[in-house]
Amino acid sequence: MIRTILVVEDERRIAALVAKNLEAADFTCVLAGDGDTALAEFERVGPALVVLDLGLPGLGGLEVTRRLRRASDVPILMLTARSSEADKVLGLEIGADDYLTKPFSPSELVARVRALLRRTTAGQRERVLVFGTLRIDPARREAEKDGRRVTLTTLEFDLLYFLAGRAGQVFSREALMRHVWGDDRIVGDRSIDSLVSRLRKKLEADPDRPRHLQTVWGAGYRFEDAGRGAWCGRAAWSGPSPASSCWS
């Protein structure tokens, strides 16, 4: 299946280069040169992934990211000419999934796009995790809390599933950064803290006193099974509470 990528870039030369390399890798590209057009094209085509320049005229890339995140968990790959860590962290904090700093290698661009798309489909062979009224489904890459669907970004889901799948284990921020972004990403501790904070706001009844996503002072984070943890195959699932065919 050919997947559509929305490329949001105001510099025509860069937009053409990005599209050329993605189309050579069997993707279809739709181009937008500003933020307003990007939002309209997103609604029209429903892309599998968005490549988004942060330095757009008018409606900037950060605001486009915020608006996309209100409605969708589509993977977002930022393109930025800003080399400071603070700019990259800000983009990741508001919901982008990865970034490339200009100038970038076309082959790395394609690799990043493929990696993000793999992450959105890799869960189809993994197990569903159930902790009381919290259900985490890797095939659908979403969580349910009290029977209500919770929309998660790619990074939020990856971090949640990694910790929940190893409930009780403590992981340092460095270890979590390696898992979520890989060894070659330049991000700081603040990025993990931001992801955890966002997950708590979405999943915890009281984010200031979390039951599941707990801080271990001086060590890192862990996922705590506040009730009875379980796992089951997707086909066996039948409701928001652990089914009889799930195992503790």
Side-chain angles (χ1 to χ4, degrees):
M1 180 179 64
I2 297 178
R3 286 174 287 189
T4 300
I5 308 296
L6 175 59
V7 179
V8 188
E9 170 62 66
D10 62 308
E11 295 187 41
R12 293 185 179 182
R13 180 183 60 84
I14 296 177
L17 176 66
V18 170
K20 177 182 177 180
N21 283 274
L22 290 175
E23 288 169 353
D26 295 327
F27 295 105
T28 295
C29 291
V30 174
L31 304 184
D34 60 74
D36 290 321
T37 302
L39 294 174
E41 288 295 276
F42 182 84
E43 291 295 326
R44 184 178 70 85
V45 302
L49 182 143
V50 178
V51 177
L52 175 62
D53 177 31
L54 289 187
L56 296 172
L59 190 67
L62 293 176
E63 181 58 27
V64 172
T65 300
R66 289 189 184 97
R67 296 190 186 188
L68 290 177
R69 278 290 166 259
R70 291 172 192 162
S72 173
D73 58 357
V74 63
I76 299 174
L77 174 62
M78 298 184 298
L79 301 181
T80 176
R82 305 164 186 171
S83 59
S84 74
E85 180 179 328
D87 290 319
K88 297 168 184 174
V89 168
L90 179 58
L92 294 169
E93 282 182 345
I94 64 175
D97 297 293
D98 203 352
Y99 68 86
L100 278 176
T101 302
K102 299 176 183 178
F104 52 83
S105 161
S107 60
E108 183 178 6
L109 166 72
V110 173
R112 292 286 172 195
V113 167
R114 285 176 169 163
L116 282 173
L117 291 173
R118 279 198 303 271
R119 285 159 65 177
T120 63
T121 58
Q124 293 177 1
R125 296 182 301 275
E126 297 177 312
R127 62 182 184 171
V128 172
L129 301 176
V130 182
F131 299 90
T133 61
L134 175 61
R135 177 177 182 260
I136 308 168
D137 187 341
R140 298 168 62 189
R141 292 190 65 83
E142 67 181 30
E144 289 183 6
K145 179 66 176 176
D146 299 321
R148 176 180 60 86
R149 181 178 180 268
V150 180
T151 300
L152 301 175
T153 69
T154 300
L155 292 179
E156 289 168 355
F157 185 88
D158 286 347
L159 179 61
L160 175 64
Y161 193 80
F162 178 79
L163 285 171
R166 298 158 180 81
Q169 297 183 45
V170 178
F171 293 92
S172 68
R173 289 173 175 82
E174 181 181 7
L176 293 174
M177 285 189 289
R178 285 200 304 270
H179 170 74
V180 175
W181 280 286
D183 292 324
D184 60 343
R185 299 287 81 189
I186 305 174
V187 293
D189 291 355
R190 181 180 165 194
S191 300
I192 288 294
D193 294 342
S194 177
L195 275 179
V196 171
S197 176
R198 281 156 41 190
L199 282 170
R200 284 172 173 167
K201 290 176 182 177
K202 291 182 177 184
L203 298 174
E204 300 282 5
D206 183 355
D208 294 327
R209 301 180 64 183
R211 298 179 62 204
H212 293 299
L213 292 158
Q214 298 185 353
T215 301
V216 180
W217 298 108
Y221 293 102
R222 73 179 171 207
F223 184 95
E224 187 65 29
D225 179 2
R228 182 175 71 89
W231 74 270
C232 62
R234 260 193 104 209
W237 178 256
S238 60
S241 301
S244 60
S245 54
C246 299
W247 292 268
S248 300

